Amino acid sequence: MAYADLHVHTTRSDGSLELEEVPAAAGRAGVDVVAVTDHDRVQPFDEPLIERKGVTIVHGIELRVEADDGQRLDLLGYGIEPNEEVTAITDRIQTNRIERGRAIVDCVEDRLGVDLGLTANEGFGRPHVARAIDDHPDTNYDYQEAFDHLIGSDCPCFVAREIPSFERGREVLSEAAELVSLAHPLRYDDLEGALARATTLDAVEVHYPYDRAVDLARVEQTVDRHDLVVTGGSDAHEGTLGLAGLSRDEYDRLELSQRYRPS
């Protein structure tokens, strides 16, 4: 059982949990610490960590960036204290997300001849579209098929979005966050390239619920060789937390702010 689940999404991006529901979900899972890491969006509180109903909530973010070789990576920032730079970069990303979301919805509706009843707003992403396609009575695609045939990369209704460079994202998060980690390294096509960039960060997400058997040896070697710290989380988009995460000892090694640390 995870003590700290440091990768959780809410309805502020593409999750199904309301932010206010996170403490109860953590309680059901026996999780003491939750990092809310919505995509490209900071949370509506100013402290890096807060207490809610006996659960420590870490102010986090998952920021998509692009390396100079074209590979897109996800950075997890923990202990966010919003500043002008992180606000500016997330505002620009959210504006582009809305424009992109509208374009995808329009394409799907035209192609399928349906009205999905969706409005693109802050935090909008392709999972919102896939859920709407799955739920619509007049479509023949379930959630995964929507990605596989309509809105996934190289599909007819895919629209790329603008994202910051790896260097820019790392710079902004390093200023606003207490800790910056590479998310789910074994999900990238070029593992070596991803791990090479992880060496310029603070941490790597080692504990993660991959949907296949994985060999973590190369990741763990990078962590050891470059004295990185270990992060972990479930990448929860629904209501179940704690499928992966950190033990109490691993969480303590992160040395996040002490003010709200459970006793």
Side-chain angles (χ1 to χ4, degrees):
M1 180 180 298
Y3 172 82
D5 185 342
L6 301 184
H7 195 160
V8 172
H9 298 280
T10 75
T11 56
R12 290 177 57 78
S13 62
D14 57 352
S16 64
L17 277 177
E18 297 288 343
L19 181 58
E20 296 76 13
E21 296 175 323
V22 169
R28 291 192 297 270
V31 172
D32 291 80
V33 182
V34 175
V36 180
T37 54
D38 285 317
H39 294 285
D40 310 313
R41 197 172 185 195
V42 295
Q43 298 302 320
F45 37 86
D46 296 328
E47 297 288 347
L49 294 89
I50 63 172
E51 284 282 336
R52 289 291 185 270
K53 300 179 180 179
V55 176
T56 298
I57 307 294
V58 179
H59 189 169
I61 188 172
E62 185 172 11
L63 185 70
R64 176 67 56 86
V65 295
E66 185 169 21
D68 53 13
D69 61 0
Q71 179 162 224
R72 294 191 167 194
L73 307 171
D74 292 315
L75 303 182
L76 293 163
Y78 297 117
I80 299 288
E81 292 190 87
N83 57 28
E84 289 185 5
E85 289 297 314
V86 77
T87 299
I89 200 170
T90 53
D91 283 350
R92 286 197 296 272
I93 291 170
Q94 292 304 325
T95 297
N96 178 252
R97 271 184 172 273
I98 292 169
E99 294 168 348
R100 178 213 194 199
R102 288 172 179 160
I104 292 174
V105 171
D106 288 346
C107 178
V108 170
E109 289 182 336
D110 289 345
R111 189 174 185 86
L112 300 184
V114 299
D115 181 355
L116 295 177
L118 284 176
T119 300
N121 48 27
E122 284 190 308
F124 192 86
R126 286 182 294 166
H128 295 92
V129 183
R131 290 188 191 114
I133 293 170
D134 189 5
D135 291 341
H136 200 286
D138 296 327
T139 67
N140 296 317
Y141 301 94
D142 63 20
Y143 182 91
Q144 187 57 50
E145 289 170 341
F147 272 97
D148 292 342
H149 302 292
L150 291 171
I151 62 175
S153 300
D154 299 323
C155 290
C157 292
F158 175 76
V159 178
R161 62 183 178 91
E162 299 171 9
I163 61 174
S165 69
F166 173 84
E167 293 298 335
R168 179 60 176 155
R170 182 186 64 176
E171 176 186 21
V172 169
L173 288 187
S174 294
E175 289 295 323
E178 296 188 28
L179 191 78
V180 183
S181 178
L182 177 70
H184 42 60
L186 294 177
R187 285 182 53 182
Y188 306 120
D189 292 334
D190 179 8
L191 173 62
E192 292 303 320
L195 291 177
R197 290 172 177 84
T199 64
T200 67
L201 306 176
D202 305 305
V204 175
E205 187 176 48
V206 174
H207 304 304
Y208 185 85
Y210 295 102
D211 58 1
R212 65 191 190 282
V214 296
D215 181 358
L216 288 169
R218 186 66 187 88
V219 177
E220 291 170 341
Q221 288 170 5
T222 299
V223 168
D224 292 340
R225 185 172 301 155
H226 296 276
D227 197 26
L228 304 175
V229 294
V230 170
T231 64
S234 64
D235 199 2
H237 286 74
E238 305 298 333
T240 302
L241 308 188
L243 297 179
L246 301 184
S247 68
R248 175 66 183 265
D249 287 344
E250 289 173 323
Y251 177 70
D252 285 342
R253 292 189 197 110
L254 299 185
E255 298 182 351
L256 293 175
S257 296
Q258 301 290 322
R259 286 173 293 173
Y260 301 98
R261 185 75 60 82
S263 59

